[in-house]
Amino acid sequence: MIRLGFQLLGGAKTFQPSLSIKVEQIRTTFVLKRRYPPLLDKQNRPPKPLVTKNFVYDEVENTNLKKEPDLKLILTSFVEGVGLKNEIVTVRPNFGRFKLLACGLAVYASPENLEKLKKDLENSDNKVQTTLHSSRFAELTRRDLASKILVVLVNQENPWTIEKWHIRAAFRRTGIWVPDHAIKMGDKPISGPNLELEKKYFLVTVTINNLETTPVRCMIRHWSTFPELRLPKVDGYLEPPYEPIFEDEREIISTLPLPVFCLKKSVAS
Amino acid sequence: MSAVKSRSFLNRFPVFYQKFYKEWRWGPQAPVHYVPEEGKWKRNPETGEVKVIQNKPIPLTYPKEFEDGLWGGEALVRGFQKRNPLRRRAAHFWFPSLIKSVLYSEILDKHMEITVTPRTLRLVDQHYGFDSYILETPPQDLKSNLGVKLKRSLLLALAKKDFLPNNAVKREELLQKYQKHIIPLEEAEWYGLTIQEALEKLGESEQREVKAPAVKQPLKIKFREEFIQQLKAEQEEKSAPPTPKSSWNPFKFNKSV
C-alpha cells in the first residue's frame, strides 16, 4: 500500500532496490518543490519523520527543456566547417561530445589546456597550418565549386572571345561572387558565336583565399536578344555525359564530382 | 528499532575504509531534484519573525538498473501531484531520462558504453573530462556500484602506475595531471569495496596475522627432560671432589662406602 510505503520512506533512508522500471514514457530531469513543507525539527531532539503530505511535489523546472550551454573546445586538428588546428571554438554540446571529443579532434578548453596551447603557439611556427588551409570553410567551398556546372551565356549574333568577365558574370548569376584575380582561364582561347560549341564544356581554375584551387566546368550556351531566334529549351541539358571542347580536358571533366541534382535523381531512380 | 542504527560493524575495518563506506552510504548528497534554501535563517518580511532554515532532501529511490549506470546524482522520485485544489492527490513517479552513451577514460584507455543521463554528460563537460569527473566527485554523489568501482579502478591504476604500458610519455603526463587524486596503494586496495568484498579481504588479512598454532607436547616429555637434567646435575655433584664434611664422620669406620 502506498500510504504505508511512504510512512516507511519517511526518514530519508531510501536504498530500496526492489523496483524494476520498464517504461516507455517521457522522462526528464525534474526539479521539484514540496507543496507542504515539513515542520522544523527541534534542537537536541530526534528529527521528525516525513509525513505523506510532505511528498506532494510541484514541478519547478524541467532542465531537459532548457537549452544546454555550448561547449568551448580547442581543436587538435583541422575540422572543415568548424575551425583550424589550435583554434578555440564554441560548438553545440552533442556535436562537440560525439563528433569532436570522442573522435580525438578536440580537447576541452580547460585552464590547463589553454595555458598549454598558449605555450605551444609561442614555441612553434604556425605556418604549416596556414599553408594547408586558409579558413574553415575553404575546403567545403572548394568541393562545392568542383561539383558545380557553370552556364556561360554568350551572344548568338555578336562575335565574342571568352574572357574572365564572362565567367565572373556567370558566377554572379548563380549567386557566387568571384573576383577576376581568382579566375584563371585555360591556355586556348574560345571564340564565337559557334553553334558547334553549344552545350560543350571547358575548364576554368578558381582560387579561394589565394590558396585552395579547383577546376570548374563551364558550359557554353548561346543566347539571343531576339526571342524568336533563341535556341529551344532542352530537358536535362546539365546532365552527363559532358562533351569537352578540348580533348585534353575530357579526363578532368569526367572525374570531377557530379552535381547534387544528378546524385539525387540517381538515388530516386 | 533504535533511532540511530548501530554502525559498529565497521569497527573491524581499516579507518580509511570506514570513512569511504560512511561517505558512500550516508554522506550528504549534492541536491539534484530540489533547490536548497541558502543561509541559516530567514526573516518573515511582514511579521519580522525569524526562523531557522532546515533543508530536508527529497527522498530518492534507486531501482536495480541504477547500479549499472552513472545517473549523475539523479534517481527516481516517488511522490504525489495535486493538480487541482478540489481533487485528491494522485501518486506520481518522476523518472530520469536515460541515454546509452559512450564515455572515454584516459587513464584506462577505454571507451565504455554506459547508461547515463544528460546531467552526467554535462557534469563530465564541467569537470573537463570523464576521469576528472569520477575522481573529483565524492562517492555519495556517484553512488552506483559502477561509479564506485570505476573510481576504485582509477585510483588503483594511479597508485600502481601500471596503466598505459605502451605509452610512458602519456602515463607521466596523466600522473602529473591527476597528482592531487593519487592515494597510497594500501588505501586504494580498500576503496570501492562492498561490505561482502571487504569482509573477505579482512578475513584474508586477519588469517595471515594469526600465528601458527603451537604444537602441543605432552607434559611428560617436558617433565622427563627436566628430570634427566636434574639427574645429570646430581651426578656431576657426586663425581666432583667431596666437599669438606663436618668433623663428625659417620663412615669413619666403614671404608667400603
Side-chain angles (χ1 to χ4, degrees):
Chain A
M1 283 194 53
I2 290 175
R3 220 175 269 165
L4 186 62
F6 278 100
Q7 279 168 5
L8 288 178
L9 263 184
K13 285 251 176 71
T14 53
F15 42 95
Q16 295 144 17
S18 54
L19 274 179
S20 176
I21 312 293
K22 288 179 192 172
V23 210
E24 288 163 3
Q25 305 162 340
I26 301 167
R27 300 142 151 250
T28 40
T29 313
F30 293 103
V31 177
L32 306 171
K33 191 180 176 179
R34 288 196 170 93
R35 182 79 71 87
Y36 310 105
L39 299 171
L40 294 173
D41 299 329
K42 303 262 184 207
Q43 275 185 338
N44 303 323
R45 283 185 216 173
K48 292 181 181 168
L50 292 171
V51 177
T52 313
K53 203 173 185 184
N54 303 132
F55 288 83
V56 180
Y57 302 121
D58 293 320
E59 286 167 24
V60 168
E61 200 188 332
N62 184 345
T63 55
N64 280 14
L65 295 180
K66 288 199 306 187
K67 184 172 187 288
E68 268 192 57
D70 288 340
L71 274 186
K72 202 172 164 196
L73 303 174
I74 304 169
L75 294 171
T76 54
S77 67
F78 171 75
V79 182
E80 60 184 29
V82 181
L84 304 173
K85 187 178 170 183
N86 293 334
E87 206 178 307
I88 303 168
V89 292
T90 314
V91 294
R92 296 180 317 280
N94 273 341
F95 175 77
R97 279 175 206 144
F98 302 116
K99 296 277 162 67
L100 296 181
L101 284 166
C103 300
L105 296 170
V107 289
Y108 288 106
S110 63
E112 298 90 33
N113 285 349
L114 286 170
E115 258 191 60
K116 195 176 159 198
L117 174 72
K118 207 170 154 192
K119 280 186 194 163
D120 285 344
L121 287 177
E122 277 168 20
N123 293 340
S124 70
D125 297 327
N126 219 16
K127 288 177 197 165
V128 177
Q129 184 59 58
T130 47
T131 48
L132 290 171
H133 309 282
S134 56
S135 88
R136 54 187 170 135
F137 298 117
E139 183 60 31
L140 295 171
T141 314
R142 198 196 67 80
R143 253 189 275 142
D144 189 49
L145 286 176
S147 66
K148 271 196 159 35
I149 292 170
L150 198 65
V151 176
V152 179
L153 290 180
V154 285
N155 201 306
Q156 213 168 308
E157 283 88 44
N158 301 339
W160 46 262
T161 312
I162 300 271
E163 281 167 39
K164 282 190 181 178
W165 62 266
H166 289 101
I167 312 293
R168 191 192 354 124
F171 269 120
R172 198 178 61 226
R173 285 190 79 232
T174 62
I176 301 170
W177 171 245
V178 183
D180 278 3
H181 65 79
I183 303 170
K184 187 168 165 250
M185 307 293 299
D187 300 328
K188 297 165 229 181
I190 304 164
S191 37
N194 187 351
L195 282 172
E196 281 177 27
L197 299 176
E198 175 71 13
K199 294 204 201 69
K200 289 228 174 105
Y201 289 77
F202 64 98
L203 285 176
V204 138
T205 313
V206 174
T207 313
I208 304 162
N209 289 340
N210 298 323
L211 189 60
E212 283 91 350
T213 58
T214 175
V216 179
R217 288 168 288 211
C218 306
M219 183 177 86
I220 288 180
R221 290 219 77 199
H222 290 87
W223 189 86
S224 174
T225 40
F226 306 108
E228 58 272 15
L229 294 175
R230 269 180 219 156
L231 297 170
K233 229 178 175 181
V234 178
D235 278 335
Y237 65 98
L238 286 174
E239 281 169 26
Y242 302 130
E243 277 301 313
I245 298 172
F246 307 114
E247 267 310 306
D248 52 348
E249 286 179 353
R250 183 182 283 274
E251 208 187 314
I252 301 175
I253 287 171
S254 55
T255 52
L256 282 174
L258 283 177
V260 176
F261 58 84
C262 291
L263 295 170
K264 279 183 185 168
K265 265 197 178 173
S266 62
V267 165
S269 61
Chain B
M1 199 169 82
S2 60
V4 177
K5 281 192 184 158
S6 161
R7 294 177 188 179
S8 57
F9 70 93
L10 288 171
N11 289 344
R12 283 171 65 197
F13 296 115
V15 177
F16 33 84
Y17 181 74
Q18 288 186 38
K19 178 168 173 282
F20 155 74
Y21 193 78
K22 284 177 186 169
E23 269 180 23
W24 180 23
R25 290 297 184 207
W26 306 298
Q29 296 175 23
V32 175
H33 292 287
Y34 69 102
V35 179
E37 258 184 292
E38 303 276 311
K40 294 203 171 155
W41 54 271
K42 59 181 174 190
R43 188 188 288 276
N44 191 320
E46 289 174 2
T47 63
E49 183 193 5
V50 171
K51 271 196 174 174
V52 79
I53 289 175
Q54 286 174 355
N55 286 313
K56 292 207 172 174
I58 287 181
L60 301 173
T61 311
Y62 301 99
K64 60 180 193 278
E65 286 83 356
F66 173 83
E67 303 298 343
D68 291 329
L70 283 174
W71 290 14
E74 288 187 48
L76 179 64
V77 182
R78 294 194 285 171
F80 300 93
Q81 279 183 317
K82 193 164 163 64
R83 298 215 288 252
N84 191 316
L86 299 172
R87 291 209 199 135
R88 178 95 171 127
R89 63 182 184 228
H92 192 89
F93 285 39
W94 283 271
F95 296 97
S97 55
L98 302 174
I99 319 167
K100 271 193 189 164
S101 183
V102 174
L103 290 164
Y104 174 68
S105 162
E106 278 182 316
I107 295 175
L108 305 172
D109 191 27
K110 270 189 192 169
H111 287 88
M112 296 171 275
E113 189 195 32
I114 307 178
T115 310
V116 293
T117 58
R119 184 163 195 268
T120 317
L121 297 176
R122 239 175 286 142
L123 285 169
V124 167
D125 291 336
Q126 279 169 19
H127 285 91
Y128 301 120
F130 177 65
D131 290 328
S132 308
Y133 163 62
I134 295 285
L135 289 168
E136 286 169 26
T137 319
Q140 62 265 31
D141 286 326
L142 290 174
K143 198 127 184 125
S144 63
N145 278 342
L146 177 69
V148 154
K149 290 289 184 218
L150 274 171
K151 188 157 182 176
R152 174 186 165 76
S153 55
L154 291 181
L155 288 170
L156 272 173
L158 287 172
K160 287 185 190 168
K161 306 192 182 178
D162 61 353
F163 57 99
L164 292 175
N166 300 329
N167 196 342
V169 175
K170 181 85 183 172
R171 194 189 326 143
E172 283 306 313
E173 208 185 297
L174 290 178
L175 281 168
Q176 192 70 26
K177 188 177 171 188
Y178 300 113
Q179 206 176 28
K180 55 186 174 184
H181 297 116
I182 299 180
I183 59 174
L185 183 62
E186 207 186 73
E187 287 186 35
E189 285 184 334
W190 280 92
Y191 197 96
L193 296 175
T194 59
I195 284 286
Q196 292 303 322
E197 290 163 353
L199 279 171
E200 277 176 32
K201 195 177 166 71
L202 193 69
E204 279 167 21
S205 63
E206 280 181 349
Q207 261 188 5
R208 264 184 268 121
E209 279 172 14
V210 166
K211 287 168 195 161
V215 175
K216 281 199 169 176
Q217 266 191 340
L219 284 170
K220 67 180 178 184
I221 296 174
K222 181 180 152 203
F223 292 149
R224 275 183 194 159
E225 279 183 12
E226 275 179 18
F227 184 54
I228 289 168
Q229 293 299 324
Q230 200 179 353
L231 288 174
K232 276 187 182 167
E234 280 176 11
Q235 213 178 35
E236 276 175 23
E237 253 184 47
K238 280 187 189 158
S239 61
T243 51
K245 295 189 193 111
S246 63
S247 55
W248 181 68
N249 187 356
F251 300 110
K252 189 173 177 183
F253 300 109
N254 187 359
K255 298 278 168 141
S256 64
V257 181

